[in-house]
Amino acid sequence: MPRATSRATLFEVAAQADVSVSTVSKVLNGRAGVSDETRARIEALLQDHRYQQRSGKRQAAPLLDVLCYEVDSPFGSEVLASIEQSARLQRIGMVLSGATEQATPYAHWVDDVLRRQPVGVVLIACKLSADDRQRLRSRNIPLVMVDPAGTPAPDVPSIGSADWNGGYQATRHLIDLGHTRIGIITGPADMMASTARLSGYRAALDSAGLTGEPELVRPGRFHHADGLEQGRALLSLPDPPTAIFASSDLYALGVYEAARTLGLSIPADLSVVGYDDLSIARWAGPPLTTVHVPLVAMAEQAVHLVMRLNDEPEMAFSRIDIDTTLVVRGSTAARNISK
């Protein structure tokens, strides 16, 4: 079937699918009673015609669907708590789903969302295929991404922090303390926040006339184990760094452990800067210098934007970046010139 370019009515979709209007309505609303083959045929037609329900006709449930990558991580837990609080103030419940290791939804997640008919969907560090985004759009279900994995589509509003600036601030702080060999543990290469923090790190080095050595850049996936492994690798170099910008607080705690196993003291022998300013950063020993990410503000913005899009589906989309700030605690100090 050639791809259609104009929008169709519900009756036209039903006629082309050779089904009743009520069957198309069941598919649109995620209800049961339609075979998989028929459902797939109707969904394909809805996609081809870029069908979209008329605004004002949808009866949304007072629910916010949230898809989160690594729901059990400290970062996920703190973001989710903030979103739940913001939603509760709007008298909206929250339905939470975990994502796969690839930061994508499990099978049938979108079907379940369509069946629930929430006021909107929030993705935390996740990504959604173009087809699934169109399925939500065709039902007028708003979608907002928080700290998106990958580069978000231009037609999807996203909320993040000023990661380039955060990476620059963290590295500049270490440079101002006299450090010239500064390691970094980066995040996944396909994640916008990771590449922005790495770019900020490199810009700070360049502004100080320092050369970024490839051996000082180590990859990870924002897990504590990566911080331990890559921290140990950095500190075992023939000419190890005197400071490490761990681009997450979990990395930083892994670096703490690596330093202890090698008999190094923080900050006397090694300065460490984290990222996120999770609660664990204040509890570390010594308390962690880190870049504060405004998670509460990001959550409030996400819920506010979903509600606004629910009322104004044609509103122009945008990316919102909220400022980061450096929080100096006890894990950084002037470089020990005897080393």
Side-chain angles (χ1 to χ4, degrees):
M1 182 182 296
R3 187 171 183 84
T5 57
S6 60
R7 291 188 178 182
T9 66
L10 203 64
F11 296 96
E12 289 170 333
V13 171
Q16 291 187 37
D18 195 23
V19 298
S20 67
V21 172
S22 64
T23 299
V24 177
S25 180
K26 285 182 179 179
V27 173
L28 277 171
N29 294 294
R31 295 201 299 267
V34 182
S35 69
D36 290 343
E37 180 182 355
T38 300
R39 187 180 297 274
R41 187 166 72 252
I42 293 172
E43 285 287 2
L45 286 167
L46 293 171
Q47 294 274 4
D48 285 340
H49 287 293
R50 296 180 61 81
Y51 177 85
Q52 186 165 352
Q53 290 177 328
R54 292 180 183 177
S55 59
K57 299 187 75 173
R58 188 171 74 93
Q59 295 297 314
L63 295 172
L64 182 68
D65 254 283
V66 179
L67 179 69
C68 182
Y69 177 62
E70 296 190 338
V71 295
D72 58 346
S73 70
F75 176 85
S77 298
E78 293 200 19
V79 175
L80 289 170
S82 298
I83 288 179
E84 190 280 329
Q85 183 179 39
S86 296
R88 181 164 22 95
L89 292 174
Q90 301 276 352
R91 301 192 70 181
I92 297 171
M94 186 175 80
V95 178
L96 172 62
S97 302
T100 67
E101 291 185 1
Q102 290 73 43
T104 56
Y106 285 95
H108 308 302
W109 176 77
V110 172
D111 293 330
D112 294 339
V113 171
L114 299 184
R115 177 173 48 80
R116 286 189 287 268
Q117 288 291 302
V119 294
V121 172
V122 173
L123 267 57
I124 303 171
C126 292
K127 50 193 172 186
L128 201 60
S129 70
D131 285 348
D132 284 341
R133 294 198 306 271
Q134 176 56 33
R135 291 181 69 191
L136 294 177
R137 187 178 297 112
S138 69
R139 279 75 166 183
N140 288 327
I141 299 177
L143 168 66
V144 173
M145 293 185 171
V146 174
D147 208 13
T151 302
D155 61 345
V156 178
S158 62
I159 297 171
S161 61
D163 289 295
W164 186 95
N165 187 55
Y168 185 93
Q169 286 177 312
T171 310
R172 187 73 235 185
H173 170 65
L174 294 170
I175 293 170
D176 289 344
L177 289 172
H179 298 280
T180 55
R181 278 187 65 77
I182 303 170
I184 181 173
I185 306 175
T186 68
D190 62 349
M191 186 172 287
M192 184 187 238
S194 305
T195 57
R197 292 170 198 177
L198 177 59
S199 180
Y201 158 85
R202 286 174 168 156
L205 293 179
D206 185 62
S207 70
L210 299 175
T211 302
E213 301 292 340
E215 66 181 359
L216 296 179
V217 179
R218 300 286 172 155
R221 295 195 61 83
F222 291 135
H223 296 151
H224 175 273
D226 298 324
L228 173 58
E229 177 185 355
Q230 301 299 354
R232 185 179 290 125
L234 285 168
L235 297 174
S236 299
L237 290 171
D239 185 10
T242 60
I244 294 176
F245 169 35
S247 59
S248 83
D249 290 346
L250 288 182
Y251 280 164
L253 296 186
V255 172
Y256 271 40
E257 188 173 343
R260 281 195 296 270
T261 61
L262 294 172
L264 299 176
S265 175
I266 298 172
D269 302 315
L270 176 71
S271 286
V272 180
V273 179
Y275 204 103
D276 289 328
D277 195 21
L278 303 176
S279 297
I280 55 176
R282 299 189 295 274
W283 305 334
L288 178 65
T289 295
T290 187
V291 176
H292 174 76
V293 175
L295 299 181
V296 173
M298 289 165 63
E300 290 174 348
Q301 285 282 355
V303 175
H304 171 77
L305 192 51
V306 162
M307 299 303 294
R308 187 172 176 191
L309 286 168
N310 199 62
D311 295 331
E312 306 172 52
E314 302 303 322
M315 188 185 77
F317 299 162
S318 62
R319 161 98 179 165
I320 300 173
D321 279 327
I322 303 177
D323 285 343
T324 55
T325 53
L326 181 70
V327 180
V328 179
R329 297 192 179 103
S331 65
T332 51
R335 179 171 69 95
N336 187 340
I337 59 175
S338 66
K339 292 188 172 291

